[in-house]
Amino acid sequence: MPLRLLVSIIAFVGALSAPSAADHTQGVTPSEAASAVIWFKPTTPASLVDVHYLVSGVPQQNVRMTDRGGTWEKTVGDLSSGTRVEYWFTYEKGGPLYETPRFTYTHNGSGGTGPGTFPVTFTNNTAGRWSDSQIHIMILGMPTPGEWHYLRSDGTLAHIDQSEENAPGHLTKNGRNYADMSFTLAQAPTVTIPSRIEGARMYVSLGSPMYIPISPDNRGWGGPDLANPSDPNQDVHFDWYEFTYAHDAIPFGGNTTQVDMFGFPMTARLQQSAIGYDETVGITLTRDQVRSRYTAAVGSPFRPLVNDHRIVAPRSSPLFRQSEYLKPVIDQVWNHYTANQFTLNRLGVTFTGRVSGGRLQFTRNGAGPYFLNKPTTKDVVECSGALASAGMSTVELELGAEFCAAFNRGVAMNPAAWWGTASGYYPAGVARNDYAGFFHTVGLQGRAYGFAYDDINDQSSVKILPNANPPTRLTIGIGW
């Protein structure tokens, strides 16, 4: 008997019933037409996890799973469409071994279609400027936590693999090779999104694919760096949509975004016909209209953010981040709360405090004290540093997010009147994030994601379904 099988059988004998399904999550993700990945993620780190599974016509298999950063995996192959897999787990928790109930999975044979999946359709709204063969789509996400995959045009997922950077058909730019992980609208105007894909980013690029490096351990990838003048994507027209979803576990949520930049107009229509859900976000103006209106609307410090390929967000501009643009209003706010009490009532929570020794000392519903240091312009446009950084408590991060939103929206002096009132945002005569404020004027429903915490008080373009069933359809409109 193989040692691996023997060890698994020994581990299985005498296992206790699982204490609670809340101490783990599990599932099966189709990976290829004839294979799928069984995964198990315990809330408490385990020293071992075994999977036991039954496939029609094959004796029971008992296998030690592979730990991939806290998520244990086993790929099962030789699956045909309609094959039913019964599986369960034995896992270690604090010494004892526990056994889960049994689960079932039916393979669909396509690596990406079946229960819980849904279609995304891309619409070419560029008025002939770009043909379908010039519009490239790259979708990166995690079907299992920590494991990045890209979506092929046939709806199957492939794990990112640095060896593909030198495989036949690879991309090359500036003397460096990159994996070709894109498809064009001519190849697939509609693709199937799998039943689980978390932290996904859908890049759309025009006239060129994206050039994305893969880490040597195949666990990560490098997104475009707009602050790096030698980034291979600097002269590529691109934009993106973000989303996450897990059937029966995580409701679909997605958004267009200008947090880092604006490349060209995109819309996202999310539908779930069973409940009559039909919402569209994004921008329907042409690219030229957006750019000309932006230049006319924003203050002079924000105009240099426009270049030939995009409008760069303040947080993505090294020059803007280093500026003192917001320093006068930050000083004014901090001086005001040195002399006067700060009070914010939001969502049933009351924050109260005063600036002392250069930092805001405050309580949350009477508990504390907690502290916020005085932010800089960089901290505000990035929503980082004094407003969000490692070492801050959850409460400090909570109020830091509120201050980030208030400074960007130009209402930090008026928490009682304006922090929760969208009609008062971006007042004239106050230093604020003109870039973010502008995109709220051109976004459908006044929604935009102009800075990292623009979802405070529900102002962002995020749309989340009220259940964890799949959308009926997601339609991405690509404009110019």
Side-chain angles (χ1 to χ4, degrees):
M1 179 180 293
L3 178 60
R4 190 178 189 188
L5 179 57
L6 178 61
V7 170
S8 294
I9 291 176
I10 292 173
F12 178 63
V13 174
L16 304 173
S17 297
S20 169
D23 75 353
H24 65 270
T25 54
Q26 58 79 33
V28 182
T29 302
S31 57
E32 301 286 349
S35 65
V37 177
I38 302 176
W39 59 271
F40 182 92
K41 185 176 179 62
T43 56
T44 301
S47 61
L48 66 88
V49 179
D50 291 341
V51 62
H52 320 279
Y53 62 93
L54 293 163
V55 180
S56 178
V58 179
Q60 176 178 318
Q61 302 295 300
N62 306 283
V63 182
R64 179 66 43 84
M65 302 180 78
T66 301
D67 183 7
R68 296 187 183 276
T71 299
W72 296 73
E73 296 182 1
K74 167 59 182 173
T75 299
V76 179
D78 298 323
L79 300 176
S80 58
S81 181
T83 299
R84 183 177 182 274
V85 181
E86 183 177 2
Y87 66 98
W88 64 102
F89 305 92
T90 300
Y91 63 102
E92 182 271 339
K93 180 180 178 181
L97 300 178
Y98 295 90
E99 178 188 344
T100 70
R102 298 193 177 202
F103 310 98
T104 59
Y105 161 75
T106 301
H107 193 61
N108 54 67
S110 66
T113 61
T117 66
F118 66 92
V120 56
T121 296
F122 302 94
T123 304
N124 183 346
N125 296 329
T126 67
R129 173 62 177 83
W130 303 97
S131 68
D132 286 0
S133 62
Q134 293 177 298
I135 300 179
H136 301 259
I137 309 295
M138 179 189 295
I139 302 176
L140 294 159
M142 295 176 287
T144 57
E147 298 299 322
W148 287 97
H149 290 61
Y150 67 91
L151 190 71
R152 297 189 181 104
S153 61
D154 63 1
T156 61
L157 287 165
H159 199 290
I160 59 171
D161 187 345
Q162 193 184 51
S163 68
E164 292 188 16
E165 294 184 349
N166 301 303
H170 68 260
L171 307 175
T172 300
K173 188 167 187 180
N174 300 332
R176 192 202 192 282
N177 292 344
Y178 299 88
D180 184 4
M181 299 184 287
S182 300
F183 57 88
T184 67
L185 260 61
Q187 293 172 308
T190 298
V191 293
T192 299
I193 300 299
S195 58
R196 185 185 185 102
I197 184 165
E198 299 180 45
R201 180 166 286 195
M202 180 189 296
Y203 284 108
V204 180
S205 56
L206 307 179
S208 166
M210 299 288 291
Y211 299 92
I212 301 296
I214 298 171
S215 62
D217 63 0
N218 297 327
R219 299 297 300 280
W221 51 277
D225 181 2
L226 301 179
N228 177 7
S230 62
D231 188 282
N233 300 292
Q234 286 286 4
D235 61 353
V236 175
H237 293 291
F238 69 89
D239 215 302
W240 67 85
Y241 178 80
E242 302 167 332
F243 67 100
T244 197
Y245 165 69
H247 183 219
D248 287 339
I250 303 173
F252 178 92
N255 59 273
T256 56
T257 177
Q258 290 83 42
V259 168
D260 291 293
M261 51 154 273
F262 164 81
F264 45 81
M266 290 177 57
T267 57
R269 182 184 183 187
L270 180 62
Q271 297 171 274
Q272 193 181 73
S273 30
I275 62 170
Y277 190 98
D278 191 341
E279 294 281 348
T280 303
V281 294
I283 298 172
T284 56
L285 298 175
T286 68
R287 181 175 182 267
D288 285 345
Q289 286 173 330
V290 171
R291 290 164 68 89
S292 63
R293 292 187 189 187
Y294 173 87
T295 301
V298 302
S300 56
F302 294 86
R303 292 175 193 147
L305 299 174
V306 181
N307 63 41
D308 290 343
H309 287 84
R310 57 193 54 88
I311 304 174
V312 177
R315 70 176 248 159
S316 299
S317 167
L319 290 178
F320 196 100
R321 292 198 308 258
Q322 295 164 13
S323 76
E324 298 291 345
Y325 172 72
L326 290 173
K327 186 177 187 302
V329 72
I330 294 170
D331 288 345
Q332 180 187 17
V333 169
W334 236 240
N335 290 338
H336 179 77
Y337 294 130
T338 299
N340 302 276
Q341 178 174 285
F342 165 78
T343 301
L344 172 66
N345 294 295
R346 287 278 286 118
L347 305 175
V349 174
T350 298
F351 297 95
T352 304
R354 188 182 293 265
V355 172
S356 176
R359 62 179 182 170
L360 178 67
Q361 178 176 316
F362 67 95
T363 60
R364 182 186 190 276
N365 289 341
Y370 302 98
F371 302 91
L372 282 184
N373 291 319
K374 184 179 181 181
T376 63
T377 295
K378 179 177 183 291
D379 294 342
V380 171
V381 297
E382 289 185 347
C383 294
S384 66
L387 302 178
S389 61
M392 292 175 62
S393 70
T394 301
V395 171
E396 290 164 346
L397 291 170
E398 183 182 3
L399 187 59
E402 294 280 355
F403 261 106
C404 174
F407 275 121
N408 276 285
R409 293 166 177 166
V411 295
M413 283 287 292
N414 302 288
W418 298 118
W419 283 29
T421 308
S423 61
Y425 295 163
Y426 306 103
V430 177
R432 72 277 168 96
N433 186 341
D434 286 4
Y435 169 93
F438 167 77
F439 281 104
H440 282 278
T441 69
V442 296
L444 294 174
Q445 306 175 41
R447 301 294 187 114
Y449 225 137
F451 58 90
Y453 288 126
D454 215 353
D455 53 347
I456 294 287
N457 198 29
D458 192 26
Q459 296 302 297
S460 76
S461 55
V462 171
K463 292 297 179 183
I464 303 174
L465 290 176
N467 56 66
N469 296 323
T472 302
R473 180 175 298 275
L474 173 67
T475 305
I476 301 296
I478 302 164
W480 185 258

